[in-house]
Amino acid sequence: MAPTTYAGPIAGLPDQTALHTGRAVFTEAYAVIPRGVMRDIVTSYLPHWKDSRAWVIARPMTGFSETFSQYIVEVFPGGGSDKPEPDAGAEGVLFVVEGQATLTLDGKTHLLKTGGYAFLPPGTRWALNNKSTAPVRFHWVRKRYEAVEGIDVPAAFVANEQDEPIIWMPGTDSRWGTTRFVDPTDISHDMHVNIVTLEPGAVIPFEETHVMEHGLYVLEGKAVYRLNGDWVEVEAGDFMWLRAFCPQACYAGPNRFRYLLYKDVNRHAKLAL
């Protein structure tokens, strides 16, 4: 079986003959940031990161992402950071989509290859460096951890999605499922970052409408996605944001369709805006 590959930003810049045919959409209920707009001109440079740049595809703001931020970080050979996270209250997830990175976590070294996943609790001492000869790209999801009295903060861990099973939804004939890195019943976690897989032609057969905010980054394939009242075409490398209670459904295309999914879970609703 061929190794899994994941989409990433196009980077570079389109030439002067390119048409404005992108699919970017920003509404009060959802946003679509297509891969074609993730170019060099929109990258950011982060404090204490050497030879690195980031596409910021979600950040907390009014009318957009409320609970999380999400970056696609590119680290060139010899680059990285020994002081990556400025917020002691932030938890994080790293997911490598290209290349390999050396992660130092509480004094122990891990090699994160393509498909590598790391959960970083708040207050964790970690560093990430590229000691290889090729760039590494990874997603970095950040959230302010919501502590609960009497419940321990979850422990750090490292995994690879190639080693984790797909848990297929009941009644779908193994056509729609989720790769979970955290037990859904583990109440210590207040966010899940999973991978959703739909086989060719599979569907999410109803309009999910629920309290969880979503960030969806398409890793493979293409689909027609229902967002609020619209059907939107999406493909590998696109990012979608869905606010709480935004209706969603999906028809997968002719190839396997997979996305990295963020959602906030396991906490009481706040009673003030």
Side-chain angles (χ1 to χ4, degrees):
M1 180 180 294
T4 300
T5 58
Y6 309 100
I10 293 177
L13 289 173
D15 62 38
Q16 292 291 291
T17 63
L19 295 177
H20 289 267
T21 55
R23 294 163 287 108
V25 178
F26 193 96
T27 75
E28 65 179 12
Y30 72 89
V32 177
I33 304 176
R35 66 191 298 259
V37 306
M38 298 184 199
R39 301 289 188 161
D40 290 356
I41 199 170
V42 299
T43 56
S44 295
Y45 298 90
L46 302 175
H48 303 297
W49 284 81
K50 174 187 174 185
D51 294 331
S52 307
R53 61 181 182 171
W55 288 267
V56 179
I57 56 177
R59 51 156 284 194
M61 58 181 278
T62 302
F64 189 45
S65 165
E66 295 181 354
T67 61
F68 74 107
S69 69
Q70 186 164 346
Y71 311 156
I72 303 171
V73 183
E74 184 174 52
V75 181
F76 297 98
S81 178
D82 294 325
K83 291 177 58 177
E85 175 56 73
D87 189 335
E91 60 186 325
V93 162
L94 309 178
F95 180 72
V96 178
V97 293
E98 182 181 340
Q100 63 183 38
T102 300
L103 173 68
T104 304
L105 183 57
D106 288 330
K108 185 176 180 181
T109 298
H110 305 268
L111 184 62
L112 291 183
K113 297 182 179 180
T114 301
Y117 183 107
F119 172 72
L120 308 166
T124 300
R125 294 181 297 112
W126 64 281
L128 186 141
N129 292 279
N130 183 356
K131 298 181 180 181
S132 74
T133 58
V136 58
R137 284 180 174 177
F138 59 91
H139 287 260
W140 182 10
V141 179
R142 302 170 65 230
K143 181 182 183 297
R144 182 67 62 83
Y145 183 70
E146 297 181 52
V148 178
E149 183 180 358
I151 296 176
D152 292 337
V153 174
F157 68 86
V158 173
N160 191 295
E161 81 110 346
Q162 306 295 328
D163 302 323
E164 304 297 327
I166 298 174
I167 308 301
W168 299 105
M169 297 287 284
T172 65
D173 194 27
S174 299
R175 297 180 61 76
W176 168 29
T178 302
T179 304
R180 297 190 177 102
F181 298 92
V182 170
D183 184 342
T185 66
D186 184 347
I187 204 73
S188 67
H189 285 272
D190 67 349
M191 74 169 177
H192 291 162
V193 180
N194 299 324
I195 296 174
V196 176
T197 298
L198 287 93
E199 297 294 351
V203 301
I204 297 176
F206 70 106
E207 293 187 351
E208 293 187 45
T209 307
H210 53 69
V211 71
M212 291 174 282
E213 182 179 36
H214 277 356
L216 290 77
Y217 184 87
V218 183
L219 297 169
E220 302 176 57
K222 63 180 180 178
V224 181
Y225 220 94
R226 179 77 168 184
L227 298 170
N228 202 12
D230 305 319
W231 286 101
V232 179
E233 284 189 295
V234 293
E235 65 177 353
D238 292 350
F239 176 74
M240 292 174 275
W241 163 78
L242 286 67
R243 75 175 303 166
F245 299 108
C246 176
Q248 61 167 313
C250 178
Y251 287 92
N255 301 309
R256 176 178 266 201
F257 177 64
R258 310 184 76 218
Y259 54 83
L260 186 71
L261 171 65
Y262 160 88
K263 57 184 179 181
D264 54 318
V265 296
N266 299 343
R267 293 296 184 267
H268 284 291
K270 293 180 175 61
L271 299 182
L273 297 177

